[in-house]
Amino acid sequence: MSTATAHQTAGPFWHLIDFPEWSDLLREDGPNAGIAGERITLQGTVTDGDGALVTDAMIEIWHADPEGRYDGAFQGFGRCGTDAGGRFRFTTLKPGPVPGRGNTLQAPHVQIAIFARGLLRHLTTRLYFADDPLNESDPLLALVPVERRCTMIATPVIPGTWQLDIRLQGGAETVFLEV
Amino acid sequence: MVRMTDPTPYARAVPGSQPPLDSPDYGSTHRRAPKQEPIRAPVTLTEASSPRFALPSHADLSVVDGHAAMGERIIVAGRVLDERGAPLRGSMVEIWQANSAGRYHHARDQHDAPLDPHFSGQGRVFTDDEGWYRFTTIRPGAYPWRNHHNAWRPTHIHFSLFGHGFAQRLVTQMYFPGDPLLALDPIFLATADEAARDRLIGKFDLDITRPEFALGYRFDITLRGEAATPFEEGRA
Ligand SMILES: [Fe+3]
């Protein structure tokens, strides 16, 4: 037995491993070219405890394919830096419901990891899709106080484009997760 | 639907072995560290699965277009294991770092130190069957930051790792032995446990050193593993 290595901040200069095309999971020369499904855009802003835009964060997403599987051809991984407006934006396929523990079913969701200067360890949250009937019975959402669930539920701004803003700290602080 | 076996929970962090989110001496945490406790959730397929990358490797950072980068060439190698000692095979290891003068090839790095046109400071390899990775690079320089008066980051290389599950995702830094700045660095010191901090320091290794070529440093990385006892299991 050994102990897991300590996390350290990604710092402000992580962009040396930023490959901007990775924010488009459906890019022509990427691993998912030609895979069918409902094309969606996921976008949002990241702000700090003062409401200031976080313009140097690395956002990663990880999610299942349209059938709710992780072991198929689809690679639901993306990486995107926040821009001068604190914004991130991904293009991908909408995930399907994923089996949960026991006989449960998880509502469609996207795992989000946030790395930045000032984060000694990365933060993890989830994006759910507003109005999905499975949200009502999602086992993870059930663990979140009702009044804070909205911080994990993306809303459609136009059809196919879902918005979820991330607040690292403060009044409407995003719910962060630990497994 | 086909019933799947539930994923095994991951072990919780050993107390003191990980940095806290809120660290008073590291100014950038003040407005960025969440104030609320995280929600503890049981592991599901989402956290227990991870991307499979098919990407080219870039193991030698010390040469660009046939031109050698300036500075002291070094080899950094080690194994990626989980807490039970099992090697992680085929895992993507990414690194990024400043050049020998302490300057990042990055538009926002305004440190008044020279850029090196033959050093970009980015690498990527995949672990072999025993979990080994290996880079040839240039020993980075220390650089100033604005955390407090006369603040300098110790020499370090940033590392990014993926395990078999997204819950094993790790971004960390490797430091160098004997660096006097370690005793002054709020980021390094934020981790309470001295042994945990010591594991972030690469060790000079004559077996990794290549004669007439470069000194070698060993940096092993441990990703969180499965819980060893039922007491460590995530709550359902
Ligand atoms: Fe750095």
Side-chain angles (χ1 to χ4, degrees), chain A:
Chain A
M1 282 293 292
S2 50
T3 305
T5 302
H7 293 253
Q8 300 282 275
T9 180
F13 302 137
W14 65 269
H15 304 79
L16 297 182
I17 60 160
D18 183 18
F19 309 99
E21 66 274 19
W22 287 15
S23 66
D24 179 2
L25 283 69
L26 308 180
R27 61 191 181 274
E28 292 267 312
D29 58 349
N32 302 320
I35 296 180
E38 181 189 342
R39 187 188 181 94
I40 57 170
T41 296
L42 305 176
Q43 64 181 35
T45 59
V46 184
T47 49
D48 71 8
D50 291 330
L53 300 169
V54 173
T55 60
D56 56 7
M58 172 170 94
I59 309 296
E60 289 184 348
I61 60 170
W62 173 237
H63 68 85
D65 70 13
E67 275 72 56
R69 299 178 63 107
Y70 286 99
D71 56 357
F74 182 78
Q75 292 293 297
F77 176 80
R79 177 183 288 167
C80 181
T82 52
D83 65 13
R87 289 178 297 255
F88 62 88
R89 182 186 172 94
F90 294 95
T91 304
T92 188
L93 295 181
K94 192 172 183 192
V98 175
R101 296 185 76 83
N103 280 313
T104 62
L105 189 62
Q106 304 186 79
H109 62 273
V110 173
Q111 201 79 358
I112 298 178
I114 303 136
F115 305 78
R117 165 178 67 85
L119 294 181
L120 283 158
R121 316 187 302 257
H122 67 273
L123 301 173
T124 304
T125 187
R126 277 187 180 188
L127 177 154
Y128 286 86
F129 298 89
D131 302 333
D132 193 304
L134 286 170
N135 289 346
E136 295 294 323
S137 55
D138 181 82
L140 191 148
L141 281 177
L143 298 174
V144 179
V146 178
E147 68 278 10
R148 298 190 68 204
R149 284 180 199 164
C150 59
T151 70
M152 298 169 71
I153 297 178
T155 51
V157 283
I158 53 170
T161 295
W162 298 83
Q163 173 103 11
L164 184 71
D165 294 333
I166 296 169
R167 294 176 191 85
L168 299 180
Q169 186 191 85
E173 185 174 305
T174 294
V175 168
F176 297 105
L177 305 170
E178 197 172 283
V179 303

Side-chain angles (χ1 to χ4, degrees), chain A residues 1-17 19 22 27 47-50 53-58 60-63 68-75 77 79 82-84 98-106 109-113 115-124 126 140 143-145 148 168-171 173-179, chain B residues 1 3-4 6-7 9-10 12 14 17-21 23 26 28-47 49-53 55 82-85 92 94-97 104-106 108-109 120-124 143 153 158 160 162 166-167 169-173 175 187-188 190-191 196 199-200 219-224 228:
Chain A
M1 282 293 292
S2 50
T3 305
T5 302
H7 293 253
Q8 300 282 275
T9 180
F13 302 137
W14 65 269
H15 304 79
L16 297 182
I17 60 160
F19 309 99
W22 287 15
R27 61 191 181 274
T47 49
D48 71 8
D50 291 330
L53 300 169
V54 173
T55 60
D56 56 7
M58 172 170 94
E60 289 184 348
I61 60 170
W62 173 237
H63 68 85
R69 299 178 63 107
Y70 286 99
D71 56 357
F74 182 78
Q75 292 293 297
F77 176 80
R79 177 183 288 167
T82 52
D83 65 13
V98 175
R101 296 185 76 83
N103 280 313
T104 62
L105 189 62
Q106 304 186 79
H109 62 273
V110 173
Q111 201 79 358
I112 298 178
F115 305 78
R117 165 178 67 85
L119 294 181
L120 283 158
R121 316 187 302 257
H122 67 273
L123 301 173
T124 304
R126 277 187 180 188
L140 191 148
L143 298 174
V144 179
R148 298 190 68 204
L168 299 180
Q169 186 191 85
E173 185 174 305
T174 294
V175 168
F176 297 105
L177 305 170
E178 197 172 283
V179 303
Chain B
M1 182 185 315
R3 279 289 294 117
M4 307 212 186
D6 284 338
Y10 289 99
R12 295 240 183 276
V14 174
S17 71
Q18 293 292 339
L21 284 166
S23 180
Y26 176 18
S28 292
T29 65
H30 299 175
R31 290 291 175 265
R32 292 188 168 190
K35 297 288 191 197
Q36 308 265 353
E37 285 297 308
I39 302 284
R40 292 204 155 183
V43 63
T44 72
L45 282 176
T46 300
E47 296 82 14
S49 57
S50 192
R52 302 177 298 281
F53 293 100
L55 293 166
D82 72 16
E83 287 174 290
R84 296 187 142 179
M92 184 163 77
E94 299 172 282
I95 63 169
W96 71 99
Q97 62 166 93
Y104 282 90
H105 188 80
H106 190 290
R108 292 185 210 168
D109 186 354
S120 75
Q122 175 266 325
R124 175 203 294 146
Y143 59 83
R153 285 307 323 282
H158 296 267
S160 160
F162 291 82
F166 208 59
R169 186 86 178 85
L170 176 70
V171 167
T172 187
Q173 300 179 27
Y175 300 95
I187 293 174
F188 179 72
T191 299
R199 286 192 294 272
L200 294 175
F219 182 52
D220 291 334
I221 297 159
T222 306
L223 302 186
R224 58 191 302 216

Side-chain angles (χ1 to χ4, degrees), chain B residues 11 22-23 27 34 38 40 56 77 79-80 86 94 101 104-105 108 126 137-138 145 185 189 197 206 208 213 222:
Chain B
D22 187 11
S23 180
R40 292 204 155 183
R79 295 180 76 197
V80 183
E94 299 172 282
Y104 282 90
H105 188 80
R108 292 185 210 168
F126 293 83
T137 185
I138 296 293
W145 61 314
D185 183 50
L189 295 174
R197 292 198 302 270
L206 198 58
I208 292 170
F213 183 70
T222 306

Side-chain angles (χ1 to χ4, degrees), chain B residues 107-163:
Chain B
R108 292 185 210 168
D109 186 354
Q110 297 301 309
H111 176 35
D112 180 23
L115 277 168
D116 181 349
H118 303 127
F119 189 76
S120 75
Q122 175 266 325
R124 175 203 294 146
V125 297
F126 293 83
T127 55
D128 71 11
D129 280 351
E130 275 78 52
W132 279 97
Y133 72 87
R134 184 175 303 261
F135 291 101
T136 302
T137 185
I138 296 293
R139 186 184 171 108
Y143 59 83
W145 61 314
R146 300 213 167 106
N147 187 67
H148 54 273
H149 175 65
N150 213 5
W152 292 77
R153 285 307 323 282
T155 300
H156 63 276
I157 298 176
H158 296 267
F159 273 74
S160 160
L161 295 109
F162 291 82

